[in-house]
Amino acid sequence: MATYDTLGATYSRTRQTDPRIAAQIHAALGNVTDVINVGAGAGSYEPPQTVLAVEPSHVMIAQRPPGSAPAVRACAERLPLRDNAADAVMALLTVHHWSDLAAGIAELRRVARHRIVILTWDQQIFRERFWLVREYLPQVAAFDDTRATPIDRLATLLGGAHEEPLHVPHDCRDGFGAAYWRRPHAYLDPQVRAGSSMLAQTPEDALAPGLARLNDDLATGRWHRRHADLLGLDSVDVGYRLLVADA
Ligand SMILES: C[S@@+](CC[C@H](N)C(=O)[O-])C[C@H]1O[C@@H](n2cnc3c(N)ncnc32)[C@H](O)[C@@H]1O
């Protein structure tokens, strides 16, 4: 059974395409004729040129909106596709779930004719800059240490890649890990936590003390005093990165 058959049950309730992030991803894809989305989930960020989604979880496939590109149940490590099958391949917030990263990236390179776009994060920057994991949930940072790949290793696997920071808007519509950086109450909501694997895959009893402290700090105003600098910002760079490679 795919991990997201359980983890993804309520995914699309909190995880929607954010239009600003979509614009950056689509610009990175460039002027391509057809796109394959690997680790496609419910289909966020798929441009109109998307011809196929590759996704191992049937629970995620079931959440794809009507009219989406067709989806095949498969893993990145073994794509059921011929060489040079599409102009571009994208893999968004998925590589940290793959069981064999090198095999998966080799498959993206085999299938893409011109462009590969990966969205991931730089774990060192993330743990330094994102207040939730730095101050309240170090267990989550420790979990991410086990699965995040250093950006330079990913770039090497891609045979070279251009790296672009992806800033997270304060009202981001896609509820991934740091999406609620200026909406701290959201992390107290179990549905929000269910939509982010770093929170959903860390045991609740490990999260409980940090979340209780966050609850107190929000109630007393301590969080707002301490993070007054964030409240005036429209977006932040907490380490999310687009890697753009020419195939
Ligand atoms: C956080 S979701 C991201 C989904 C989508 N790309 C998005 O941006 O909303 C991660 C996805 O990666 C998928 N996944 C996990 N392991 C995979 C693998 N080995 N190959 C391809 N996809 C995988 C999961 O099933 C899940 O749908």
Side-chain angles (χ1 to χ4, degrees):
M1 188 162 114
T3 311
Y4 268 76
D5 285 347
T6 44
L7 205 58
T10 57
Y11 190 85
S12 49
R13 290 196 203 154
T14 55
R15 302 292 298 268
Q16 303 285 332
T17 295
D18 181 89
R20 295 145 293 191
I21 294 175
Q24 189 173 349
I25 290 169
H26 297 172
L29 284 167
N31 194 13
V32 287
T33 54
D34 48 349
V35 176
I36 293 175
N37 187 13
V38 175
S44 294
Y45 306 107
E46 287 176 5
Q49 305 96 305
T50 307
V51 290
L52 186 71
V54 177
E55 167 56 47
S57 162
H58 70 85
V59 168
M60 296 300 278
I61 291 174
Q63 292 175 68
R64 296 175 61 75
S68 303
V72 59
R73 251 182 103 184
C75 286
E77 293 85 344
R78 200 162 169 205
L79 293 175
L81 295 165
R82 61 180 166 78
D83 295 359
N84 302 314
D87 231 9
V89 177
M90 64 181 198
L92 309 177
L93 295 174
T94 179
V95 298
H96 53 289
H97 292 292
W98 298 359
S99 59
D100 186 339
L101 179 73
I105 300 293
E107 282 290 84
L108 302 189
R109 295 181 71 183
R110 181 179 69 75
V111 162
R113 280 194 300 274
H114 291 125
R115 181 60 50 90
I116 299 170
V117 173
I118 290 179
L119 173 57
T120 185
W121 73 94
D122 181 316
Q123 173 62 2
Q124 203 177 327
I125 298 177
F126 192 80
R127 24 156 80 249
E128 283 166 14
R129 294 195 190 164
F130 183 33
W131 58 265
L132 181 70
V133 298
R134 187 184 63 228
E135 294 166 22
Y136 293 94
L137 302 176
Q139 308 85 339
V140 170
F143 169 61
D144 272 347
D145 285 346
T146 66
R147 62 183 192 153
T149 304
I151 297 293
D152 52 0
R153 169 159 154 74
L154 260 177
T156 301
L157 290 171
L158 284 163
H162 164 71
E163 178 186 339
E164 285 181 22
L166 186 134
H167 292 236
V168 183
H170 72 93
D171 53 354
C172 186
R173 288 188 57 196
D174 189 351
F176 50 76
Y180 302 92
W181 60 271
R182 217 183 88 177
R183 294 168 286 175
H185 287 91
Y187 293 109
L188 302 176
D189 178 347
Q191 186 162 288
V192 163
R193 296 200 300 275
S196 158
S197 67
M198 71 175 197
L199 298 168
Q201 292 190 291
T202 304
E204 273 289 318
D205 58 348
L207 299 181
L211 292 177
R213 213 154 34 77
L214 175 60
N215 191 30
D216 286 349
D217 287 353
L218 289 171
T220 60
R222 187 165 185 265
W223 186 93
H224 287 80
R225 284 193 297 279
R226 198 165 171 171
H227 295 291
D229 56 325
L230 293 181
L231 300 173
L233 300 179
D234 287 337
S235 66
V236 285
D237 174 8
V238 285
Y240 290 98
R241 293 290 178 268
L242 272 189
L243 288 180
V244 185
D246 289 322

